[in-house]
Amino acid sequence: APPARRRLRPGLLPAAEPVLFLATVSVVLQGPLTTQYLWDRLGAERGYHGHSSSGSAGCGNSSAAADPLRQEVEALVSHWNLYINLGGFFVCLFSVTLFGPWSDSVGRRPALILSTAGIALQTSIYLLVIYLELHVAYLLLGRLLSGLSGDYNLVLASCFAYVAETSDRRARTFRVAILEACLGIAGMLASIGGGQWRKAQGYINPFWLAFAASLAATLYAAFCLRESVKQRRPARLFTLSHYKAVYRLYMAPEHPSSRWKLALYSLAFFLLVTVHFGAKDLFVLYELGFPLCWASDLIGYGSAANYLAYLSSLGGLRLLQLCLEDSWVAEIALISNIAGLVVISLATTTALMFTGYGILFLSMAATPVIRSKLSKLVSETEQGALFASVACVQGLCSLVATGVFNSLYPVTLHFMRGFPFLFGAIILLIPAAIIGWIQIWDSKHDYNNFQDPPSPAKD
């Protein structure tokens, strides 16, 4: 059996938040910029002159909605997003489940260094594509190379495992929420800065900032971050035992009652994050198209408003925890998410679109609750394997979201542009039912134990 690990107090070591913050800045900068770059490149190749930076020519009239060339460009951009995310997922699926359990033995820092360096490599390839005007297929190559090193999912897995090892059970939900709030702050700054910078100077300089942020994250993890795994031991990297560690979490947990809770919470997490990813993938295209016809600066503000939900959710979570169980906080967050997506699906004006973003103010409070509950179902020596499996679920979310939402969007353009958002709102009813049912079951179980406490002999 592995030696017991001594929990570190959070104040004794530098936090993992800067790594996540810098990596998120890099990834968020690249997301909308890559979509707009694909729009401009593919549109130019087909003689379409409605650019993402200024809105399309004639976008303000109803004839633009039926422009077949514009719809062809929209469909092509959507499909290239699908190819890039699909390729990244399949590579990342195997690398994250390898590096996550491996980090339980060798430590979190090697995994963080590897994954952030991979993001830097991806960004450098994107820069080469822009400088040399290479075929857009090279964007897929950059994503594949990043996936081999764990990609952004390994950054998330390692940072959340780091927080789980340096926080007590009572404060874990809020600590996870703070980590997720870093996603919001980084996303908000990168969205506003990226949109304005793209409009003023083009693609090159924002992508250089993305490269610098990922390189800074690598250097911080290598030289500033102290290791959270104290009882480190050598471990082979390429071995099936790492995959078996993930398998044992669900098939042979320490406590048999944890199996079905792990499965149900993972399903709720999968559906919730799938809707988040799917909606995020489409926001830029939805805002570029008729009748919104947003320019690059408005797209940046819209992305910032979306990421602002991380901060408002953090404050809302802290307040609601004073009077409610974590599960009921998650239920309120899901109601916020569902209502916001319904409004966005019907948005035909800029004001209504931002109203939808405003209603999403608590939408991100559900994911830290689920992550915290998952981490409490496994031992401290399995946190890396757990969050590697969560990262795989998150990668699967990216695949399914890109496949479903990016495929659904082109085929529903002719009758309801916002239908994918309405579809996502309906899907979120399922995790709301799962979380509520588990909380009710746990409450009844605790009540029965209180009524009929076990004898000392059975303890």
Side-chain angles (χ1 to χ4, degrees), residues 292 340 343-359:
L292 293 175
V343 171
I344 288 174
S345 72
L346 303 172
T348 56
T349 65
T350 295
L352 194 57
M353 189 70 186
F354 277 106
T355 299
Y357 281 135
I359 296 173

Side-chain angles (χ1 to χ4, degrees), residues 249-263 377 441:
L249 283 177
Y250 293 89
M251 297 296 106
E254 288 187 3
H255 306 289
S257 63
S258 299
R259 180 186 301 174
W260 64 270
K261 288 185 182 179
L262 279 167
L377 292 172
W441 188 91

Side-chain angles (χ1 to χ4, degrees), residues 396-407:
L396 183 60
C397 292
S398 178
L399 169 68
V400 174
T402 305
V404 172
F405 283 80
N406 279 279
S407 299

Side-chain angles (χ1 to χ4, degrees), residues 172-191:
R172 188 166 302 169
T173 299
F174 188 64
R175 285 284 292 116
V176 171
I178 291 175
L179 198 61
E180 292 207 357
C182 288
L183 302 176
I185 297 172
M188 188 166 47
L189 294 176
S191 297

Side-chain angles (χ1 to χ4, degrees), residues 110-120 146 149-152 154-155 158 218:
L112 285 170
I113 294 168
L114 187 64
S115 54
T116 52
I119 295 173
S146 179
S149 63
D151 202 30
Y152 185 61
L154 184 59
V155 178
S158 301
T218 306

Side-chain angles (χ1 to χ4, degrees), residues 80-136:
W80 269 108
N81 277 334
L82 171 62
Y83 304 147
I84 291 170
N85 285 297
L86 188 67
F89 165 75
F90 281 116
V91 176
C92 196
L93 176 67
F94 294 100
S95 62
V96 171
T97 48
L98 187 69
F99 295 131
W102 177 66
S103 71
D104 280 330
S105 300
V106 302
R108 309 297 173 207
R109 286 177 63 246
L112 285 170
I113 294 168
L114 187 64
S115 54
T116 52
I119 295 173
L121 177 60
Q122 171 186 302
T123 313
S124 65
I125 292 176
Y126 281 21
L127 279 166
L128 286 175
V129 171
I130 297 171
Y131 271 115
L132 304 178
E133 296 186 0
L134 302 176
H135 192 277
V136 294

Side-chain angles (χ1 to χ4, degrees), residues 332-388:
I332 294 173
L334 285 165
I335 292 172
S336 168
N337 208 334
I338 291 169
L341 288 176
V342 169
V343 171
I344 288 174
S345 72
L346 303 172
T348 56
T349 65
T350 295
L352 194 57
M353 189 70 186
F354 277 106
T355 299
Y357 281 135
I359 296 173
L360 293 171
F361 75 107
L362 277 178
S363 60
M364 301 309 300
T367 47
V369 170
I370 297 176
R371 289 185 198 271
S372 175
K373 287 184 174 293
L374 284 168
S375 73
K376 294 173 184 176
L377 292 172
V378 302
S379 69
E380 293 183 15
T381 59
E382 297 174 315
Q383 295 296 326
L386 169 71
F387 284 106

Side-chain angles (χ1 to χ4, degrees), residues 293-367:
C293 304
W294 283 9
S296 183
D297 54 346
L298 270 180
I299 289 172
Y301 290 131
S303 295
N306 188 28
Y307 279 103
L308 186 61
Y310 284 96
L311 292 179
S312 56
S313 295
L314 175 64
L317 173 67
R318 189 59 167 173
L319 290 175
L320 291 172
Q321 278 185 319
L322 299 176
C323 55
L324 293 173
E325 294 281 346
D326 284 354
S327 294
W328 301 125
V329 176
E331 294 288 339
I332 294 173
L334 285 165
I335 292 172
S336 168
N337 208 334
I338 291 169
L341 288 176
V342 169
V343 171
I344 288 174
S345 72
L346 303 172
T348 56
T349 65
T350 295
L352 194 57
M353 189 70 186
F354 277 106
T355 299
Y357 281 135
I359 296 173
L360 293 171
F361 75 107
L362 277 178
S363 60
M364 301 309 300
T367 47

